[in-house]
Amino acid sequence: MIICVECLMIDARCRHEIAGVVTEVGKNVAKFKAGDKVGVGCMVNSCQSCENCNQGFENNCSGIIFTYNSVDRDGTVTYGGYSSMVVVHERFVVRFPEAMPLDKGAPLLCAGITVYSPMKYHGLNVPGKHVGVLGLGGLGHVAVKFGKAFGMKVTVISSSPGKRQEAIERLGADAFVVSKNAEEMQAAFGTMDGIINTVSANIPVAPLLGLLKPNGKMILVGLPEKPLEIPPFALVAGNKTLAGSNIGGIADTQEMIDFAAKHGVTADIEVIGADYVNAAMERLAKADVRYRFVIDIGNTLQAMDATE
């Protein structure tokens, strides 16, 4: 049940957000055919038989095989999408709806499912509820779009006052709170049903937990380098929950991409050629991108062939 996918678009930051077209399928493949628009996300295999896999949570399988830098079950090493094609088991391929463009959809295979899954499983997808999005970057801007698509009130929380106009006027957030502004933080105290924390920097978490209503939840999807320091009372008072979330299963990823296509949710991207990757990495280090670089693998390879 193996599928060969021609790599056309891939997120420059991660080698595991691949979008392309099926070129060939194995004889036992039933769900896909040559010519289908598809995507391959963070994983390409798992044990496929444990409790987690049987429940559709391959992302929690102890035998997960990541799209790059992993050793697959047959002993081969996975190299990701910096290539002309990738061969994947059909279980780990996601169908792209016609309304979903390959370039703007590719980052959703990681960033999209990373925020969609916790919003779904922690009840932060209910119309009328209030969700905070901490951090406005590659993950955060997608979380804002999903929150609005769910019909929620969305508040962006950021340490950068300069992002206020971007959050409200361009991305459609309802409100913006500067986390370093004591008056704004006090005004938002106890107003949010949940917070999607996309920040990878080490920041004080206790004041942010104060923004939650009683029984509110903060879900971590960012990965700070140092351990979190949280006063127990910040959680105990108000029965608050601090949880984590790790991407999502394949069924949820397909659900996410279908929902995104239906509601017009895509990643904000800058398309580049493969010859621009080094410059893109330098710009990424300066946060000089809105919000994802996507490498046009297909046209890059065609241009290379034409010059040979």
Side-chain angles (χ1 to χ4, degrees):
M1 294 183 285
I2 299 300
I3 294 176
C4 183
V5 179
E6 180 184 12
C7 300
L8 298 180
M9 299 287 174
I10 182 170
D11 190 298
R13 182 174 176 270
C14 307
R15 283 179 278 167
H16 59 208
E17 297 169 338
I18 308 164
V21 175
V22 176
T23 58
E24 190 175 355
V25 300
K27 63 180 181 181
N28 293 322
V29 171
K31 297 193 297 181
F32 300 95
K33 65 182 185 304
D36 287 345
K37 290 170 52 180
V38 297
V40 178
C42 303
M43 50 191 164
V44 293
N45 212 340
S46 67
C47 79
Q48 302 188 38
S49 61
C50 69
E51 181 180 5
N52 288 317
C53 288
N54 290 336
Q55 291 178 347
F57 300 114
E58 300 92 345
N59 54 307
N60 293 328
C61 175
S62 61
I64 187 173
I65 307 297
F66 294 107
T67 307
Y68 65 94
N69 290 349
S70 283
V71 179
D72 209 339
R73 295 168 66 184
D74 62 359
T76 58
V77 176
T78 60
Y79 292 102
Y82 288 176
S83 57
S84 59
M85 66 184 65
V86 61
V87 180
V88 188
H89 190 286
E90 71 170 331
R91 176 170 178 163
F92 296 88
V93 177
V94 176
R95 183 181 302 279
F96 266 44
E98 280 303 314
M100 178 59 66
L102 293 178
D103 54 359
K104 294 182 179 181
L108 298 182
L109 297 167
C110 178
I113 188 60
T114 294
V115 297
Y116 181 92
S117 180
M119 294 176 86
K120 172 183 176 179
Y121 287 103
H122 290 278
L124 301 179
N125 60 350
V126 179
K129 282 197 172 185
H130 185 184
V131 63
V133 176
L134 180 59
L136 190 63
L139 295 176
H141 89 284
V142 176
V144 171
K145 292 185 179 186
F146 274 126
K148 294 307 297 178
F150 288 137
M152 304 186 72
K153 177 181 179 180
V154 178
T155 295
V156 172
I157 310 158
S158 174
S159 61
S160 304
K163 292 185 176 181
R164 186 187 303 271
Q165 184 176 2
E166 169 84 0
I168 295 176
E169 296 184 10
R170 207 175 74 81
L171 294 175
D174 298 284
F176 187 92
V177 172
V178 179
S179 57
K180 296 179 180 179
N181 186 309
E183 291 184 3
E184 292 188 14
M185 289 289 285
Q186 182 59 41
F189 185 86
T191 63
M192 300 178 191
D193 296 288
I195 295 173
I196 300 294
N197 183 346
T198 72
V199 175
S200 292
N202 287 94
I203 59 175
V205 175
L208 298 163
L209 291 170
L211 301 179
L212 294 171
K213 297 176 181 178
N215 300 306
K217 303 176 180 180
M218 176 183 283
I219 317 300
L220 299 180
V221 292
L223 299 172
E225 293 183 1
K226 298 179 181 179
L228 301 178
E229 295 185 5
I230 303 169
F233 195 74
L235 288 173
V236 172
N239 303 323
K240 296 169 185 176
T241 299
L242 179 65
S245 182
N246 175 36
I247 53 175
I250 298 300
D252 285 329
T253 304
Q254 184 67 67
E255 177 184 295
M256 177 275 302
I257 211 79
D258 291 341
F259 179 90
K262 180 178 179 180
H263 294 274
V265 175
T266 59
D268 289 4
I269 64 168
E270 181 177 334
V271 178
I272 62 173
D275 57 350
Y276 190 75
V277 168
N278 289 340
M281 292 301 179
E282 292 176 1
R283 287 177 57 190
L284 273 174
K286 302 173 185 177
D288 179 24
V289 60
R290 185 193 287 172
Y291 286 95
R292 295 283 197 177
F293 286 115
V294 172
I295 305 173
D296 187 341
I297 297 288
N299 284 327
T300 296
L301 293 177
Q302 288 180 13
M304 292 173 61
D305 290 341
T307 59
E308 291 180 355

